[in-house]
Amino acid sequence: MGNGSEPKGLDPHLVTGVPENKIISALLEGLISYHPTDDLKPEPGMAESWESNDDYTVWTFHLRDAKWSNGDPVRAGDFAYSWQRMLTPALGAEYAPMLYVIKGAQAFHNSETDDFSTVGVKVIDDETLQVTLEGPTPYFLNMLKHYSFFPVNPRVVEEFGGMGDRASRWSTFENYVGNGPFVLEKWVTNQVIRVKPNPTYWDAKTVKLKGIEFYPVENAATEETMFRGGRLHMTNTVQPDKIPVFKEKMPNELKIEPYLGTYFYRVNVTRPPFDNPKVREALAISFDKQLLVDKVTKGGQAPATGYVPAGIPGYATSDKVKFDPERGRQLLAEAGYPGGKGFPKAEILINTSEAHRKIAEAMQAMWKQNLGIDVGIYNQEWKVYLDSQSNLDYDISRSAWIGDYVHPSTFIDMFTTGNGNNDTGWANPQYDRLVAQAQVAKSEEERLGLLREAENLLLTDLPIVPVYWYTRVYLKDPRIQGWNPKLLDNHPYKYVSINAE
């Protein structure tokens, strides 16, 4: 498989990206696993059964007889330890707010208490875990599929540094202990990560592949060459200019599928002139998104007129951010830059990728044409780019968000004040209140209404520039079996096989 880039790491509590997710999903398994065909259905993982109370605020999970790859039994206490680790302030887990759905989790993470017993995670016995939530959350099972809820082996973590140690070496090649269908076999940085079947996995009999090799190939042309030469069964992406060719010449290999994600630019609102909302709105409405998806990306993407993408039951996309260059010029003039005059030097940060560069070049040209401003482009390798974004060391940054589960909260929650995935410097107390109210809403209708209000605020202040709503575009060897289109592109590898014929 093409993996796009070298992962930042394989500790599920310290990563935030898709390249990491693809590998971690082979090595670790949560209470609930990915369903092979439907992202809205829970699949038994470490929990063989579960039940909730009538209003979905208390969930009880019954663990199966499962083992870690070092032979340790997987216990309910391992999940309690792992979630406490995720929420430990010293660890600095960027995804920690994902767990705020649990009663008391936010207060513990914010150091309002250091007593984890105040958090709604209760170990009944080694096989039983009870979780109490802040409010009714019928979609909690789908949240549990995300790696931020995955367990780590407490004994191994403690051996190599402890709960709050960001530099812990438990997740290196030599020390990694998992509970998933595969274990690490080889890890050569920037070359390949290879996994092989885990003999201690509870459902080892279902695993069909002899191994998976993840290649960190950032160049789509190189990926295509590897695919054509039989070195890859699946690419991470496809060069946009080649999509029409593949449609005609290799229709069985080219896949264009629905994908719950948004491509957007983050804007660093702590730096002038981007601290001015008029400048941000001018940027957001002064490029032709339809032209961009038709002529540059070419993969059936849809222009993003809002932030939350289509595909979530009961939640319609916003049309608030439309192409309006005349208004963009007016806003820029009101901000003190008529015709772009006096606009300071600014740059778009991208991670190394020809596709990202072409999109940035198109944005650059359209902003020049419509607003009269000059914007540069610079690229960084994946890990460095992530650090620059987290440290607000950028003006405008190429970004994307793929849903962690099928619900608008996975998109909306991340822009609350101080959220580890916010990375814009933006803070809006009213937005924070709406998100907090949504977490404890008594009905799904009320929750969706509050999230809609929050999205509207986000699209008014615009610390982001929505660009397009994703499709999943890649090449797949027709011999691959058990790999089905998925809205979140999360695939349980244990069901995947290769037809040798």
Side-chain angles (χ1 to χ4, degrees):
M1 295 176 62
N3 201 52
S5 63
E6 176 71 16
K8 186 176 181 178
L10 295 179
D11 185 330
H13 302 157
L14 291 178
V15 298
T16 60
V18 172
E20 293 79 12
N21 178 46
K22 289 181 178 177
I23 303 168
I24 289 171
S25 296
L27 302 172
L28 295 169
E29 184 171 275
L31 291 168
I32 305 297
S33 189
Y34 303 136
H35 189 276
T37 61
D38 190 341
D39 282 311
L40 287 170
K41 289 183 179 177
E43 174 90 350
M46 289 295 103
E48 60 182 352
S49 65
W50 52 84
E51 66 268 355
S52 74
N53 62 352
D54 290 343
D55 69 354
Y56 304 106
T57 58
V58 180
W59 294 79
T60 305
F61 298 91
H62 306 280
L63 274 65
R64 67 176 72 254
D65 182 13
K67 286 184 170 61
W68 292 95
S69 56
N70 67 350
D72 288 353
V74 178
R75 301 187 178 104
D78 297 348
F79 283 89
Y81 175 93
S82 300
W83 297 356
Q84 180 176 353
R85 179 177 186 253
M86 187 73 181
L87 292 165
T88 296
L91 189 69
E94 291 168 276
Y95 251 125
M98 182 88 151
L99 275 63
Y100 286 2
V101 66
I102 301 173
K103 190 173 183 63
Q106 184 170 1
F108 181 83
H109 185 239
N110 290 340
S111 300
E112 294 169 24
T113 175
D114 59 2
D115 181 3
F116 192 71
S117 69
T118 63
V119 180
V121 180
K122 185 177 182 182
V123 178
I124 307 296
D125 54 44
D126 283 349
E127 290 80 41
T128 315
L129 185 73
Q130 188 179 80
V131 186
T132 303
L133 307 181
E134 287 283 2
T137 312
Y139 53 90
F140 183 57
L141 295 177
N142 286 327
M143 294 182 72
L144 289 173
K145 299 175 188 177
H146 189 260
Y147 58 70
S148 56
F149 286 97
F150 281 6
V152 293
N153 184 302
R155 279 73 65 192
V156 178
V157 173
E158 289 299 315
E159 181 182 350
F160 292 101
M163 187 174 279
D165 183 8
R166 282 187 69 89
S168 170
R169 292 186 53 78
W170 83 264
S171 58
T172 61
F173 172 69
E174 297 81 9
N175 303 326
Y176 207 96
V177 171
N179 67 330
F182 293 86
V183 292
L184 285 171
E185 183 179 17
K186 182 179 182 181
W187 187 351
V188 182
T189 304
N190 291 319
Q191 292 187 32
V192 68
I193 291 178
R194 182 191 299 155
V195 300
K196 63 181 180 181
N198 174 10
T200 69
Y201 179 57
W202 69 271
D203 196 20
K205 66 181 186 305
T206 302
V207 177
K208 300 176 180 66
L209 295 173
K210 294 178 181 176
I212 309 170
E213 293 184 340
F214 299 91
Y215 287 89
V217 185
E218 293 179 336
N219 186 293
T222 303
E223 260 202 329
E224 181 193 330
T225 300
M226 293 174 71
F227 182 83
R228 287 179 177 275
R231 291 183 61 204
L232 288 180
H233 291 101
M234 198 175 305
T235 68
N236 180 62
T237 187
V238 175
Q239 298 176 83
D241 290 344
K242 289 292 189 76
I243 292 173
V245 177
F246 286 126
K247 279 183 178 177
E248 182 183 350
K249 305 285 189 185
M250 298 170 63
N252 292 331
E253 285 82 2
L254 178 67
K255 302 297 175 185
I256 300 178
E257 298 165 353
Y259 196 22
L260 194 70
T262 304
Y263 192 104
F264 63 97
Y265 281 178
R266 281 180 166 88
V267 183
N268 184 350
V269 305
T270 69
R271 285 186 181 178
F274 307 109
D275 55 348
N276 187 332
K278 290 185 177 181
V279 170
R280 301 197 297 268
E281 185 178 353
L283 293 175
I285 64 176
S286 298
F287 67 99
D288 190 337
K289 300 173 188 183
Q290 190 65 57
L291 184 68
L292 185 84
V293 298
D294 289 344
K295 301 297 185 183
V296 181
T297 62
K298 302 179 182 179
Q301 298 88 352
T305 52
Y307 178 50
V308 180
I312 300 174
Y315 196 89
T317 56
S318 172
D319 62 354
K320 189 174 173 67
V321 189
K322 293 180 178 177
F323 180 46
D324 189 350
E326 186 174 336
R327 173 163 167 75
R329 287 188 286 271
Q330 178 187 336
L331 286 165
L332 201 64
E334 290 175 7
Y337 309 104
K341 186 176 180 181
F343 196 85
K345 178 177 172 59
E347 291 184 303
I348 300 170
L349 167 65
I350 62 171
N351 57 297
T352 305
S353 159
E354 190 61 30
H356 296 326
R357 178 164 289 279
K358 286 186 174 180
I359 291 168
E361 287 171 349
M363 303 279 280
Q364 181 186 51
M366 287 191 277
W367 282 338
K368 173 69 173 175
Q369 178 182 345
N370 295 323
L371 296 176
I373 64 174
D374 290 305
V375 178
I377 302 167
Y378 70 108
N379 67 278
Q380 292 179 335
E381 179 266 331
W382 178 247
K383 296 180 190 178
V384 180
Y385 149 84
L386 288 177
D387 286 341
S388 294
Q389 195 167 257
S390 294
N391 296 329
L392 297 182
D393 187 16
Y394 72 90
D395 297 318
I396 302 166
S397 177
R398 191 296 302 180
S399 301
W401 194 256
I402 308 303
D404 297 322
Y405 48 97
V406 185
H407 195 272
S409 58
T410 183
F411 291 90
I412 302 297
D413 290 0
M414 62 187 283
F415 287 108
T416 50
T417 301
N419 188 293
N421 288 311
N422 184 322
D423 293 343
T424 63
W426 181 69
N428 184 308
Q430 187 183 354
Y431 185 90
D432 296 344
R433 280 195 296 272
L434 289 167
V435 171
Q437 288 167 9
Q439 286 180 339
V440 297
K442 298 301 182 190
S443 71
E444 191 63 7
E445 183 181 4
E446 180 189 354
R447 189 193 318 274
L448 294 178
L450 290 162
L451 292 173
R452 163 66 71 205
E453 282 187 63
E455 183 184 11
N456 197 54
L457 267 183
L458 181 75
L459 298 175
T460 299
D461 277 7
L462 287 168
I464 61 170
V465 173
V467 180
Y468 63 77
W469 287 313
Y470 267 96
T471 52
R472 180 78 179 97
V473 185
Y474 62 104
L475 300 173
K476 181 171 80 74
D477 189 317
R479 293 174 297 173
I480 299 272
Q481 306 294 310
W483 185 278
N484 303 290
K486 298 281 297 294
L487 194 57
L488 300 177
D489 196 39
N490 288 325
H491 302 268
Y493 297 120
K494 68 181 180 182
Y495 295 119
V496 179
S497 62
I498 299 175
N499 186 342
E501 294 178 8

